[in-house]
Amino acid sequence: MSFMTPMIVVATGNKGKLAEIQATAQGAGLDYTFRAIFDLLPDWTSPVEDGDSFEANAMIKARAGFEALGLPTLADDSGLAVDALDGAPGVYSSSFGGVEGDDARNNARLLDELAAVPEGQRSARFLSTLVLVGLDNLLPDAPHTITATGACEGSIGFEAAGEAGFGYDPLFIPATTPDRTMAQLSMQEKNAMSHRGQALQNLMDTLHQL
């Protein structure tokens, strides 16, 4: 790269997501600085995410951040798809419990919805889509929009376990760690297997090639 430490804005107020992005970029050896949009624009209002897919919602946020600052902006939309609930909560994962971003309510409703579902029929997966808009402002040969996706297969436990992570992490048991929930994994372990970790790694691989 011919420039020093280019900045990519992250259109999120979730410190957990920002930490995962920063850790993955550092592990990939990429010379980018990632800053939360609220650190640069404290009064920024996140747009309404009314898309019908994770990619559509991530695109809405990334475009809004880019238009507000004129800087490359990264956004993600991710959620949980439970087979016994026909793919729900899906794009409504963050408001499943009735209050946007209330992890406790979301987890409580999920357990309630699955109360009669036995072990062996509680399969689920985390899905993530990342959208980066405006990198061509820094790298003229870069695409204006870059998309990356990731998935993590697993199942839903019967009770919360673990203090790390956020969202549905205390209930989600990855297929690769059947004795631990996502919230019982270290950041390094989680990034290596999580849906967002996979999407981030795919994004970093793309950035390496630019």
Side-chain angles (χ1 to χ4, degrees):
M1 296 181 184
S2 59
F3 46 85
M4 296 298 292
T5 318
M7 180 186 298
I8 293 178
V9 177
V10 183
T12 184
N14 188 313
K15 293 182 179 180
K17 288 184 180 181
L18 181 63
E20 287 184 25
I21 292 169
Q22 292 171 329
T24 303
Q26 183 177 12
L30 282 172
D31 191 22
Y32 286 89
T33 297
F34 292 86
R35 293 282 304 278
I37 194 167
F38 291 102
D39 290 339
L40 304 172
L41 286 177
D43 296 329
W44 189 70
T45 300
S46 184
V48 176
E49 298 172 40
D50 54 3
D52 59 0
S53 67
F54 295 126
E55 181 175 352
N57 284 334
M59 186 72 72
I60 289 170
K61 289 184 286 188
R63 284 177 174 168
F66 177 69
E67 290 171 2
L69 286 169
L71 295 171
T73 301
L74 175 66
D76 98 297
D77 196 43
S78 56
L80 182 69
V82 181
D83 291 327
L85 302 180
D86 297 322
V91 294
Y92 304 106
S93 292
S94 65
S95 59
F96 194 52
V99 177
E100 180 70 29
D102 191 321
D103 291 347
R105 286 176 179 266
N106 291 337
N107 285 326
R109 181 179 176 188
L110 181 60
L111 287 176
D112 184 60
E113 294 280 349
L114 294 176
V117 179
E119 187 174 1
Q121 298 180 30
R122 300 167 72 91
S123 57
R125 65 205 48 82
F126 272 131
L127 301 169
S128 177
T129 298
L130 291 167
V131 174
L132 174 59
V133 170
L135 189 62
D136 52 332
N137 272 23
L138 293 177
L139 299 174
D141 293 332
H144 182 67
T145 302
I146 298 172
T147 302
T149 62
C152 180
E153 297 289 334
S155 62
I156 305 301
F158 289 89
E159 60 182 12
E163 300 296 329
F166 54 91
Y168 296 96
D169 286 355
L171 293 178
F172 186 80
I173 303 170
T176 54
T177 59
D179 59 338
R180 290 182 292 168
T181 69
M182 194 77 90
Q184 292 175 305
L185 304 180
S186 68
M187 177 71 77
Q188 183 177 7
E189 289 175 312
K190 180 178 178 179
N191 286 345
M193 63 144 76
S194 77
H195 55 308
R196 190 174 299 107
Q198 290 182 33
L200 283 169
Q201 191 58 61
N202 291 335
L203 176 67
M204 300 307 166
D205 289 345
T206 299
L207 294 180
H208 261 304
Q209 298 170 16
L210 298 177

